[in-house]
Coordinates of all heavy atoms in Angstrom, one line a residue:
R758 N -3.3 -19.8 26.0 CA -4.0 -20.4 27.1 C -5.3 -21.1 26.7 O -5.6 -22.2 27.2 CB -4.4 -19.2 28.1 CG -3.2 -18.7 28.9 CD -3.6 -17.8 30.0 NE -4.2 -16.5 29.5 CZ -3.5 -15.4 29.2 NH1 -2.2 -15.4 29.3 NH2 -4.1 -14.4 28.7
R759 N -6.0 -20.5 25.7 CA -7.3 -21.1 25.3 C -7.0 -22.4 24.5 O -7.7 -23.4 24.6 CB -8.0 -20.1 24.4 CG -8.5 -18.9 25.2 CD -9.3 -17.9 24.4 NE -10.5 -18.5 23.8 CZ -11.3 -17.9 23.0 NH1 -11.1 -16.6 22.6 NH2 -12.4 -18.5 22.5
I760 N -5.9 -22.4 23.7 CA -5.5 -23.6 23.0 C -5.2 -24.7 24.0 O -5.6 -25.9 23.9 CB -4.3 -23.3 22.1 CG1 -4.8 -22.5 20.9 CG2 -3.7 -24.6 21.6 CD1 -3.6 -21.9 20.1
A761 N -4.4 -24.3 25.1 CA -4.0 -25.3 26.1 C -5.2 -25.9 26.8 O -5.3 -27.1 27.0 CB -3.0 -24.7 27.0
V762 N -6.1 -25.0 27.2 CA -7.3 -25.4 28.0 C -8.2 -26.3 27.1 O -8.6 -27.4 27.5 CB -8.1 -24.2 28.5 CG1 -9.5 -24.6 29.0 CG2 -7.4 -23.5 29.6
A763 N -8.5 -25.9 25.9 CA -9.4 -26.7 25.0 C -8.7 -28.0 24.6 O -9.4 -29.0 24.7 CB -9.7 -25.8 23.7
G764 N -7.4 -27.9 24.2 CA -6.8 -29.2 23.8 C -6.7 -30.2 25.0 O -6.9 -31.4 24.8
T765 N -6.3 -29.7 26.2 CA -6.2 -30.6 27.3 C -7.6 -31.2 27.7 O -7.7 -32.4 28.0 CB -5.6 -29.8 28.5 OG1 -4.4 -29.2 28.1 CG2 -5.4 -30.7 29.7
F766 N -8.6 -30.3 27.7 CA -9.9 -30.8 28.1 C -10.4 -31.9 27.1 O -10.9 -32.9 27.5 CB -10.9 -29.6 28.1 CG -12.3 -30.1 28.3 CD1 -12.8 -30.4 29.6 CD2 -13.3 -30.1 27.3 CE1 -14.1 -30.8 29.8 CE2 -14.6 -30.5 27.5 CZ -15.0 -30.9 28.8
M767 N -10.3 -31.6 25.8 CA -10.7 -32.6 24.8 C -9.9 -33.9 24.9 O -10.5 -35.0 24.7 CB -10.6 -32.0 23.4 CG -11.6 -30.8 23.1 SD -11.6 -30.1 21.5 CE -10.0 -29.3 21.4
C768 N -8.6 -33.8 25.1 CA -7.8 -35.0 25.2 C -8.2 -35.8 26.5 O -8.4 -37.0 26.4 CB -6.3 -34.5 25.4 SG -5.2 -35.9 25.8
A769 N -8.5 -35.1 27.6 CA -8.8 -35.8 28.8 C -10.1 -36.5 28.7 O -10.3 -37.7 29.1 CB -8.9 -34.7 30.0
V770 N -11.2 -35.9 28.1 CA -12.5 -36.5 27.9 C -12.3 -37.7 27.0 O -12.9 -38.8 27.3 CB -13.5 -35.5 27.4 CG1 -14.8 -36.2 27.1 CG2 -13.7 -34.4 28.4
C771 N -11.6 -37.6 25.9 CA -11.4 -38.7 25.0 C -10.7 -39.9 25.6 O -11.1 -41.1 25.5 CB -10.6 -38.3 23.7 SG -11.6 -37.2 22.6
L772 N -9.7 -39.6 26.5 CA -8.9 -40.7 27.2 C -9.8 -41.4 28.2 O -9.8 -42.6 28.4 CB -7.7 -40.1 27.8 CG -6.5 -39.7 26.9 CD1 -5.4 -39.2 27.7 CD2 -6.1 -40.9 26.1
L773 N -10.7 -40.6 28.9 CA -11.6 -41.1 29.9 C -12.6 -42.1 29.2 O -12.9 -43.2 29.7 CB -12.3 -40.0 30.6 CG -11.5 -39.2 31.6 CD1 -12.3 -38.1 32.2 CD2 -11.1 -40.2 32.8
Q774 N -13.1 -41.6 28.0 CA -14.0 -42.5 27.3 C -13.3 -43.8 26.8 O -13.8 -44.9 26.9 CB -14.6 -41.7 26.1 CG -15.4 -42.6 25.1 CD -16.6 -43.3 25.6 OE1 -17.0 -43.0 26.7 NE2 -17.0 -44.3 24.9
Y775 N -12.1 -43.6 26.4 CA -11.3 -44.8 25.9 C -11.0 -45.8 27.0 O -11.0 -47.0 26.8 CB -10.0 -44.3 25.2 CG -9.2 -45.3 24.5 CD1 -9.9 -46.3 23.7 CD2 -7.8 -45.4 24.6 CE1 -9.1 -47.2 23.0 CE2 -7.1 -46.4 23.9 CZ -7.8 -47.3 23.1 OH -7.0 -48.2 22.4
A776 N -10.7 -45.2 28.2 CA -10.3 -46.0 29.3 C -11.5 -46.6 30.1 O -11.5 -47.8 30.4 CB -9.4 -45.3 30.3
F777 N -12.6 -45.8 30.2 CA -13.7 -46.2 31.1 C -15.0 -46.3 30.4 O -16.0 -46.8 31.0 CB -13.8 -45.3 32.3 CG -12.5 -45.1 33.1 CD1 -11.8 -44.0 33.0 CD2 -12.1 -46.2 33.9 CE1 -10.6 -43.8 33.7 CE2 -10.9 -46.0 34.6 CZ -10.2 -44.9 34.5
N778 N -15.1 -45.9 29.1 CA -16.3 -46.0 28.4 C -17.5 -45.4 29.2 O -18.6 -46.0 29.4 CB -16.6 -47.4 28.0 CG -17.8 -47.5 27.0 OD1 -18.2 -46.5 26.3 ND2 -18.4 -48.7 26.9
F779 N -17.3 -44.2 29.7 CA -18.4 -43.6 30.5 C -19.6 -43.2 29.7 O -20.7 -43.0 30.3 CB -17.8 -42.3 31.2 CG -17.6 -41.1 30.3 CD1 -18.5 -40.2 30.0 CD2 -16.3 -41.0 29.8 CE1 -18.3 -39.1 29.2 CE2 -16.0 -39.9 29.0 CZ -17.0 -39.0 28.7
L780 N -19.5 -43.2 28.4 CA -20.7 -43.0 27.6 C -21.5 -44.2 27.4 O -22.7 -44.2 26.9 CB -20.3 -42.4 26.2 CG -19.7 -41.0 26.2 CD1 -19.3 -40.6 24.8 CD2 -20.6 -40.0 26.7
G781 N -21.0 -45.4 27.7 CA -21.7 -46.6 27.7 C -22.1 -47.2 26.4 O -23.1 -47.7 26.2
V782 N -21.1 -47.1 25.4 CA -21.4 -47.7 24.1 C -21.1 -49.2 24.3 O -20.7 -49.7 25.3 CB -20.4 -47.1 23.0 CG1 -20.7 -45.6 22.8 CG2 -19.0 -47.3 23.4
D783 N -21.4 -49.9 23.3 CA -21.3 -51.4 23.3 C -19.9 -51.9 23.8 O -18.9 -51.8 23.1 CB -21.6 -52.0 21.9 CG -21.7 -53.5 22.0 OD1 -21.5 -54.1 23.0 OD2 -22.0 -54.1 20.9
E784 N -19.8 -52.4 25.0 CA -18.6 -52.8 25.6 C -18.1 -54.1 25.1 O -16.9 -54.4 25.2 CB -18.7 -52.9 27.2 CG -19.0 -51.5 27.8 CD -19.1 -51.7 29.3 OE1 -18.8 -52.8 29.8 OE2 -19.4 -50.6 30.0
T785 N -19.0 -54.9 24.5 CA -18.5 -56.2 23.9 C -17.8 -56.0 22.7 O -17.1 -57.0 22.2 CB -19.8 -57.0 23.7 OG1 -20.6 -56.4 22.7 CG2 -20.5 -57.2 25.0
D786 N -17.8 -54.9 22.0 CA -17.2 -54.7 20.8 C -16.1 -53.6 20.9 O -16.4 -52.4 21.0 CB -18.2 -54.2 19.7 CG -17.5 -54.1 18.3 OD1 -16.3 -54.4 18.2 OD2 -18.2 -53.8 17.4
P787 N -14.8 -54.0 21.0 CA -13.7 -53.0 21.2 C -13.7 -51.9 20.1 O -13.4 -50.8 20.3 CB -12.4 -53.8 21.1 CG -12.9 -55.2 21.4 CD -14.3 -55.4 20.9
A788 N -14.2 -52.3 18.9 CA -14.2 -51.3 17.8 C -15.2 -50.2 18.1 O -15.1 -49.1 17.6 CB -14.6 -52.0 16.5
A789 N -16.3 -50.5 18.8 CA -17.3 -49.5 19.1 C -16.7 -48.4 20.0 O -17.0 -47.2 19.9 CB -18.5 -50.2 19.8
V790 N -15.9 -48.8 21.0 CA -15.3 -47.8 21.9 C -14.3 -46.9 21.1 O -14.3 -45.7 21.3 CB -14.5 -48.5 23.1 CG1 -13.8 -47.5 23.9 CG2 -15.5 -49.4 23.9
K791 N -13.5 -47.6 20.3 CA -12.6 -46.8 19.4 C -13.3 -45.8 18.5 O -13.0 -44.7 18.3 CB -11.6 -47.7 18.6 CG -10.5 -48.2 19.4 CD -9.4 -48.8 18.5 CE -8.2 -49.2 19.2 NZ -7.1 -49.8 18.4
T792 N -14.4 -46.3 18.0 CA -15.2 -45.5 17.1 C -15.8 -44.3 17.8 O -15.9 -43.2 17.3 CB -16.4 -46.4 16.5 OG1 -15.8 -47.4 15.7 CG2 -17.3 -45.5 15.6
S793 N -16.3 -44.6 19.1 CA -16.9 -43.5 19.8 C -15.8 -42.4 20.2 O -16.1 -41.2 20.1 CB -17.5 -44.0 21.1 OG -16.5 -44.5 22.0
V794 N -14.6 -42.9 20.5 CA -13.5 -41.9 20.7 C -13.2 -41.1 19.5 O -13.0 -39.8 19.5 CB -12.3 -42.6 21.3 CG1 -11.1 -41.6 21.4 CG2 -12.6 -43.3 22.6
F795 N -13.0 -41.8 18.4 CA -12.8 -41.1 17.1 C -13.8 -40.1 16.7 O -13.5 -38.9 16.4 CB -12.7 -42.2 16.0 CG -12.5 -41.7 14.6 CD1 -11.6 -40.6 14.3 CD2 -13.2 -42.2 13.6 CE1 -11.5 -40.1 13.0 CE2 -13.1 -41.7 12.3 CZ -12.2 -40.7 12.0
T796 N -15.1 -40.5 16.8 CA -16.2 -39.6 16.5 C -16.3 -38.4 17.5 O -16.5 -37.3 17.2 CB -17.5 -40.3 16.5 OG1 -17.4 -41.4 15.5 CG2 -18.7 -39.4 16.1
L797 N -16.1 -38.7 18.8 CA -16.2 -37.7 19.8 C -15.1 -36.7 19.6 O -15.3 -35.5 19.7 CB -16.0 -38.4 21.2 CG -15.9 -37.4 22.4 CD1 -17.2 -36.6 22.6 CD2 -15.6 -38.2 23.7
F798 N -13.9 -37.1 19.2 CA -12.8 -36.2 18.9 C -13.1 -35.3 17.8 O -12.9 -34.1 17.9 CB -11.5 -37.0 18.6 CG -10.3 -36.2 18.5 CD1 -9.5 -35.9 19.6 CD2 -9.9 -35.6 17.3 CE1 -8.4 -35.1 19.6 CE2 -8.7 -34.8 17.2 CZ -8.0 -34.6 18.3
V799 N -13.7 -35.8 16.7 CA -14.0 -35.0 15.6 C -15.1 -34.0 16.0 O -15.0 -32.8 15.6 CB -14.5 -35.9 14.4 CG1 -15.1 -35.0 13.3 CG2 -13.4 -36.7 13.8
F800 N -16.1 -34.4 16.7 CA -17.2 -33.5 17.1 C -16.7 -32.4 18.1 O -17.1 -31.2 18.0 CB -18.3 -34.2 17.7 CG -19.2 -35.0 16.7 CD1 -20.3 -35.8 17.2 CD2 -19.0 -34.9 15.4 CE1 -21.1 -36.4 16.2 CE2 -19.7 -35.6 14.4 CZ -20.8 -36.3 14.9
F801 N -15.7 -32.8 18.9 CA -15.1 -31.8 19.8 C -14.5 -30.6 19.0 O -14.7 -29.5 19.3 CB -14.0 -32.5 20.6 CG -14.4 -32.8 22.0 CD1 -13.9 -34.0 22.6 CD2 -15.2 -32.0 22.8 CE1 -14.3 -34.4 23.9 CE2 -15.5 -32.3 24.1 CZ -15.1 -33.5 24.7
Q802 N -13.8 -31.0 17.9 CA -13.1 -30.0 17.1 C -14.2 -29.1 16.4 O -14.0 -27.9 16.3 CB -12.2 -30.6 16.1 CG -11.2 -31.7 16.6 CD -10.5 -31.2 17.8 OE1 -10.1 -30.1 18.0 NE2 -10.3 -32.1 18.8
L803 N -15.3 -29.7 15.9 CA -16.3 -28.9 15.2 C -16.9 -27.9 16.2 O -17.2 -26.8 15.8 CB -17.3 -29.9 14.6 CG -16.9 -30.8 13.4 CD1 -18.0 -31.7 13.0 CD2 -16.4 -29.9 12.3
F804 N -17.3 -28.4 17.4 CA -17.9 -27.4 18.3 C -16.9 -26.4 18.8 O -17.2 -25.3 19.1 CB -18.5 -28.2 19.5 CG -19.8 -28.9 19.2 CD1 -19.9 -30.3 19.2 CD2 -20.9 -28.2 18.8 CE1 -21.1 -30.9 18.9 CE2 -22.1 -28.8 18.5 CZ -22.2 -30.2 18.5
N805 N -15.6 -26.8 18.9 CA -14.6 -25.8 19.4 C -14.4 -24.8 18.3 O -13.9 -23.7 18.6 CB -13.3 -26.6 19.6 CG -12.3 -25.7 20.3 OD1 -12.6 -25.0 21.3 ND2 -11.1 -25.6 19.8
A806 N -14.7 -25.0 17.0 CA -14.6 -24.0 16.0 C -15.5 -22.8 16.4 O -15.1 -21.7 16.1 CB -15.0 -24.6 14.7
F807 N -16.7 -23.1 17.0 CA -17.5 -22.0 17.4 C -16.8 -21.1 18.5 O -17.0 -19.9 18.5 CB -18.9 -22.5 17.9 CG -19.7 -23.0 16.8 CD1 -19.8 -24.3 16.4 CD2 -20.5 -22.1 16.1 CE1 -20.6 -24.8 15.4 CE2 -21.3 -22.6 15.0 CZ -21.3 -23.9 14.7
N808 N -16.1 -21.8 19.4 CA -15.4 -21.1 20.4 C -14.3 -20.2 19.8 O -14.1 -19.0 20.3 CB -14.7 -22.1 21.4 CG -15.6 -22.8 22.3 OD1 -16.7 -22.3 22.6 ND2 -15.2 -24.0 22.7
C809 N -13.7 -20.6 18.8 CA -12.6 -19.9 18.1 C -13.1 -18.6 17.4 O -12.3 -17.8 16.9 CB -11.8 -20.8 17.2 SG -11.0 -22.1 18.1
R810 N -14.4 -18.5 17.2 CA -15.0 -17.3 16.5 C -14.8 -16.1 17.3 O -14.8 -15.0 16.8 CB -16.4 -17.5 16.2 CG -16.7 -18.6 15.1 CD -18.1 -18.8 14.8 NE -18.8 -17.6 14.4 CZ -20.1 -17.5 14.2 NH1 -20.9 -18.6 14.3 NH2 -20.6 -16.4 13.8
E811 N -14.6 -16.2 18.6 CA -14.4 -15.0 19.5 C -13.0 -15.1 20.1 O -12.7 -16.1 20.8 CB -15.5 -15.0 20.6 CG -16.9 -14.8 20.1 CD -17.1 -13.5 19.4 OE1 -16.3 -12.5 19.6 OE2 -18.0 -13.4 18.6
L812 N -12.2 -14.1 19.8 CA -10.8 -14.2 20.3 C -10.7 -13.6 21.7 O -9.7 -13.9 22.4 CB -9.9 -13.4 19.4 CG -9.7 -14.0 18.0 CD1 -8.9 -13.0 17.1 CD2 -9.0 -15.3 18.0
G813 N -11.6 -12.8 22.1 CA -11.6 -12.2 23.4 C -12.4 -13.0 24.4 O -12.6 -14.2 24.3
N814 N -13.0 -12.2 25.4 CA -13.8 -12.8 26.4 C -15.3 -12.7 26.1 O -16.1 -13.0 27.0 CB -13.5 -12.2 27.8 CG -12.1 -12.5 28.2 OD1 -11.6 -13.6 28.1 ND2 -11.4 -11.5 28.8
D815 N -15.7 -12.3 24.9 CA -17.1 -12.2 24.6 C -17.7 -13.6 24.3 O -17.0 -14.5 23.9 CB -17.3 -11.3 23.3 CG -16.9 -9.9 23.6 OD1 -17.0 -9.5 24.7 OD2 -16.4 -9.2 22.6
S816 N -19.0 -13.7 24.6 CA -19.7 -15.0 24.4 C -19.9 -15.2 22.9 O -19.9 -14.2 22.1 CB -21.1 -14.9 25.1 OG -21.9 -16.1 24.7
I817 N -20.0 -16.4 22.5 CA -20.1 -16.8 21.1 C -21.6 -16.5 20.6 O -21.8 -16.4 19.4 CB -19.7 -18.2 20.8 CG1 -20.7 -19.2 21.4 CG2 -18.3 -18.5 21.2 CD1 -20.5 -20.6 21.0
F818 N -22.5 -16.4 21.5 CA -23.9 -16.5 21.1 C -24.4 -15.2 20.4 O -25.2 -15.3 19.5 CB -24.8 -16.8 22.3 CG -24.5 -18.2 22.8 CD1 -23.8 -18.4 24.0 CD2 -24.9 -19.3 22.1 CE1 -23.5 -19.7 24.5 CE2 -24.6 -20.6 22.6 CZ -23.9 -20.8 23.8
P819 N -24.0 -14.0 20.8 CA -24.5 -12.8 20.0 C -24.2 -12.8 18.5 O -25.0 -12.3 17.7 CB -23.8 -11.6 20.7 CG -23.5 -12.1 22.1 CD -23.2 -13.6 21.9
N820 N -23.1 -13.4 18.1 CA -22.7 -13.5 16.7 C -22.8 -14.9 16.1 O -22.3 -15.2 15.0 CB -21.2 -13.0 16.5 CG -21.0 -11.6 16.9 OD1 -21.7 -10.7 16.5 ND2 -20.1 -11.3 17.8
L821 N -23.6 -15.7 16.8 CA -23.7 -17.1 16.4 C -24.1 -17.3 15.0 O -23.6 -18.2 14.2 CB -24.6 -17.9 17.4 CG -24.7 -19.4 17.2 CD1 -23.3 -20.0 17.4 CD2 -25.7 -20.0 18.1
F822 N -25.1 -16.5 14.5 CA -25.7 -16.8 13.2 C -25.2 -15.8 12.2 O -25.8 -15.7 11.1 CB -27.2 -16.7 13.3 CG -27.8 -17.8 14.2 CD1 -28.3 -17.5 15.5 CD2 -27.9 -19.1 13.7 CE1 -28.8 -18.5 16.3 CE2 -28.4 -20.1 14.6 CZ -28.8 -19.8 15.8
K823 N -24.2 -15.0 12.5 CA -23.7 -14.0 11.5 C -22.8 -14.5 10.5 O -22.5 -13.9 9.5 CB -23.1 -12.8 12.3 CG -24.1 -12.0 13.1 CD -23.4 -10.8 13.8 CE -24.4 -10.0 14.6 NZ -23.8 -8.8 15.2
N824 N -22.2 -15.7 10.7 CA -21.3 -16.3 9.7 C -22.1 -17.6 9.2 O -21.9 -18.7 9.7 CB -20.0 -16.7 10.3 CG -19.0 -17.2 9.3 OD1 -19.3 -17.5 8.2 ND2 -17.7 -17.3 9.7
R825 N -22.9 -17.4 8.2 CA -23.7 -18.5 7.7 C -22.8 -19.5 7.0 O -23.2 -20.7 7.1 CB -24.7 -17.9 6.7 CG -25.8 -17.0 7.4 CD -26.8 -16.5 6.4 NE -27.8 -15.6 7.0 CZ -28.7 -15.0 6.4 NH1 -28.9 -15.1 5.1 NH2 -29.6 -14.2 7.1
M826 N -21.8 -19.1 6.4 CA -20.9 -20.1 5.8 C -20.3 -21.1 6.8 O -20.1 -22.3 6.6 CB -19.7 -19.4 5.1 CG -20.1 -18.6 3.8 SD -20.5 -19.8 2.5 CE -19.0 -20.5 2.2
M827 N -20.1 -20.5 8.0 CA -19.6 -21.4 9.1 C -20.6 -22.5 9.5 O -20.3 -23.6 9.7 CB -19.3 -20.5 10.3 CG -18.9 -21.3 11.6 SD -17.2 -22.0 11.5 CE -17.1 -22.8 13.0
L828 N -21.9 -22.1 9.5 CA -22.9 -23.0 9.9 C -23.1 -24.1 8.8 O -23.3 -25.3 9.1 CB -24.3 -22.2 10.1 CG -24.3 -21.1 11.2 CD1 -25.6 -20.4 11.2 CD2 -24.0 -21.8 12.5
V829 N -23.0 -23.7 7.6 CA -23.1 -24.6 6.5 C -21.9 -25.6 6.5 O -22.1 -26.9 6.4 CB -23.1 -23.9 5.1 CG1 -22.9 -24.9 3.9 CG2 -24.3 -23.1 4.9
A830 N -20.7 -25.1 6.8 CA -19.5 -26.0 6.9 C -19.6 -26.9 8.0 O -19.2 -28.1 7.9 CB -18.2 -25.1 7.1
F831 N -20.2 -26.5 9.2 CA -20.4 -27.3 10.3 C -21.3 -28.5 9.9 O -21.0 -29.7 10.3 CB -21.0 -26.5 11.5 CG -21.4 -27.4 12.7 CD1 -20.4 -27.8 13.6 CD2 -22.7 -27.8 12.8 CE1 -20.8 -28.6 14.7 CE2 -23.1 -28.6 13.9 CZ -22.1 -29.0 14.8
V832 N -22.4 -28.2 9.3 CA -23.4 -29.2 8.9 C -22.8 -30.2 8.0 O -22.9 -31.4 8.1 CB -24.6 -28.6 8.3 CG1 -25.6 -29.6 7.7 CG2 -25.4 -27.8 9.3
I833 N -22.0 -29.7 7.0 CA -21.3 -30.6 6.0 C -20.3 -31.6 6.7 O -20.3 -32.8 6.5 CB -20.6 -29.8 4.9 CG1 -21.7 -29.1 4.0 CG2 -19.8 -30.7 4.0 CD1 -21.1 -28.1 3.0
A834 N -19.5 -31.0 7.6 CA -18.5 -31.8 8.3 C -19.1 -32.8 9.2 O -18.7 -34.0 9.3 CB -17.5 -30.9 9.0
F835 N -20.2 -32.4 9.9 CA -20.9 -33.3 10.8 C -21.5 -34.4 10.0 O -21.4 -35.6 10.4 CB -22.0 -32.5 11.5 CG -22.7 -33.2 12.6 CD1 -22.3 -32.9 13.9 CD2 -23.7 -34.1 12.4 CE1 -22.9 -33.5 15.0 CE2 -24.3 -34.8 13.5 CZ -23.9 -34.5 14.8
A836 N -22.1 -34.1 8.8 CA -22.7 -35.2 8.0 C -21.6 -36.2 7.5 O -21.9 -37.4 7.5 CB -23.5 -34.6 6.9
L837 N -20.5 -35.6 7.1 CA -19.4 -36.5 6.6 C -18.9 -37.5 7.7 O -18.7 -38.7 7.4 CB -18.3 -35.7 6.1 CG -18.5 -34.9 4.7 CD1 -17.3 -34.0 4.5 CD2 -18.6 -35.9 3.6

Side-chain angles (χ1 to χ4, degrees):
R758 287 192 294 272
R759 293 179 64 182
I760 290 168
V762 169
T765 304
F766 174 76
M767 292 184 289
C768 171
V770 175
C771 287
L772 288 179
L773 288 173
Q774 169 60 17
Y775 189 42
F777 303 108
N778 190 20
F779 70 88
L780 294 178
V782 298
D783 187 359
E784 297 183 3
T785 61
D786 185 0
V790 176
K791 281 193 172 184
T792 299
S793 68
V794 174
F795 174 44
T796 303
L797 176 62
F798 188 88
V799 171
F800 284 179
F801 261 141
Q802 311 312 322
L803 291 177
F804 285 117
N805 191 50
F807 288 95
N808 289 334
C809 296
R810 290 177 61 184
E811 297 298 339
L812 293 172
N814 293 319
D815 295 331
S816 171
I817 67 170
F818 296 106
N820 296 308
L821 186 62
F822 298 104
K823 291 186 178 179
N824 188 348
R825 295 180 180 177
M826 289 291 292
M827 174 74 180
L828 300 176
V829 172
F831 173 84
V832 171
I833 292 172
F835 192 99
L837 287 173

